[in-house]
Amino acid sequence: AGLHSLSGADAINALRPFYFAVHPDFFGQYPREREVNENSLKRLNGYLENLQKPGAQSVQPTKLTFYVRETKESSDMQQDLLPSGFRSVSFTLHTKDVLSTVMDVLKSCSLPVEHMKGLKASTKTAKTSPGAGMPFYRPIKWDKTYYSFTGFRDPEQEIQQAKRVEPTLSLWLRNNEPEATKKHSISLPRRDELKRLKKELCQKFDLADIRWQRSWGVTHRCCQLQSLSRLSQQNPEALINLQGHTIVFTDQSGMNASGHVMLGTMDVHHQWTKLFERLPSYRSLQQQTEWLKERISLLLGGAQVIHVERLGPVQPIAEHYSTLNTFHKTLMPRCLRLHPRSLQGLTITLDNNRYTPSLHEMGHFIIPTRCDPPKLQAFLQSHAHEARQRMHRTNQLQAEEEAAVKACLQSLSLRSLSKEPSVTSSQMILCCKRLLEQRSPLMQGLHICISHFYSVMQDGDLCIPWDWKKKMESDVF
């Protein structure tokens, strides 16, 4: 028995500081970084599992890239932070055993390894039987219907797709357009029903909008609206409090940080009704959060606290209020010397998991909820000019992206053109320009989503990677 006898359980415990620093759940507001970490964790877990297989001789070198959150263990390391506030770490694993791999990962991410000393000593004397290592942590393998019902992406399907050699766009469209067109045709009655139900409910109860937190299929969206429609017929008084609100179907019922009413898709009518009854108290809490934001803005030279809605974890209004209240109390005792309008037009987001302020590439400040006010003032003042430049650049890119999407919709006769949150404006603009150059007739009349991989969705929507390959000379229609 050698060093490779470190068990899977020991390795998971040893990697806790690493998981805490890179786990995708902590990257809810940063979809691009979240996606990179998810993919790298899959590869790392596969690498570790291969090392534990009986008679494992050689494991292919694996290159990994992680965005590392600033934790207490790494809060002294400021020199290589990206604009998003994370450290980007890339390294290639060549290790031949589990213990060396764990050490390599921790050291590469500049994380502490002191807790490994005891494990090193114990593994030198440990005996192991072939295949004794336990499988590494990975998401539970659910039945395919689970992913269809919940709207979550199937990680196994994504891995299989990634393993296939990526074809050119024209070849992939030729092979998959018939299936997409067939699925889209079948979905048309359900799409019409969805549009009718949404319009009917919005008009009847004066709703601002109805949205979905995740990419459920049209059938499930219809079922959710039919359920709300039945409740409105059985108990119309219950929905009166919804007037003027936006409804979001998601995993939990309540109100989110943006003031939208969240309806948990697994909840029953009784739970929805209870929520509607509590809406006046939720609105009161929302008013208090707005008051706190105004007070904070006065203290911070006109900078506004915003909440960035993404497909990451939803922040309930009570949690948002608590974060704002904590931040306000931190600022109050210290008199900041900021001119009342010196930071007008700038925005900040608050982060409970951060220890130092940073400036996001899109131009908003990311501020720790518990911060040192004088240091915060110095950071805001020294980075205000750069923040305005980044915000200006972001607005330019968004306008350019809107124009590129509009041009594609018209020129290519698409039914719709959207993108996943992890696709940046620059990537979307480049993708649209290339689509206009290629002008594929096979996309006419279809719903296109720009993503990072190819896929035909259950209702006939086509996902294509933003950096799709151009057709070869021999690859013609």
Side-chain angles (χ1 to χ4, degrees), residues 23 25 277 351 411:
H23 199 283
D25 285 355
E277 289 170 0
D351 193 333
S411 298

Side-chain angles (χ1 to χ4, degrees), residues 80-149:
D80 52 356
L81 288 182
L82 294 173
S84 60
F86 306 117
R87 285 186 293 120
S88 175
V89 178
S90 294
F91 55 95
T92 302
L93 292 173
H94 299 279
T95 44
K96 305 297 181 188
D97 58 77
V98 174
L99 180 59
S100 301
T101 304
V102 170
M103 290 291 290
D104 203 6
V105 169
L106 292 171
K107 286 179 178 176
S108 297
C109 294
S110 303
L111 292 165
V113 293
E114 288 78 16
H115 63 293
M116 297 294 296
K117 289 173 185 173
L119 284 172
K120 276 186 178 178
S122 64
T123 54
K124 285 177 183 175
T125 55
K127 292 184 178 179
T128 184
S129 58
M134 63 174 276
F136 259 81
Y137 166 78
R138 58 169 45 187
I140 298 168
K141 188 176 179 182
W142 298 97
D143 187 83
K144 299 293 179 189
T145 54
Y146 167 80
Y147 297 103
S148 171
F149 180 73

Side-chain angles (χ1 to χ4, degrees), residues 84-85 97 144 159 208-209 217 260 267-268 279 312 363 401 423 470:
S84 60
D97 58 77
K144 299 293 179 189
I159 292 171
D209 196 11
H260 302 330
D267 290 345
V268 293
L279 279 181
E401 180 184 350
V423 177
K470 282 195 172 182

Side-chain angles (χ1 to χ4, degrees), residues 38 61 78 136 138 188 193 216 220 232 238-239 252 271 297 330 335 338 361 370 387 401 410 439 475:
E38 277 179 347
Q78 294 297 306
F136 259 81
R138 58 169 45 187
L188 285 175
E193 172 72 355
W216 280 290
H220 285 104
S232 72
L239 276 72
Q252 55 181 318
Q271 289 162 303
S297 181
T330 303
C335 185
L338 284 164
E361 61 187 349
R370 298 179 186 276
E401 180 184 350
Q410 292 174 345
R439 304 188 67 81
D475 184 21

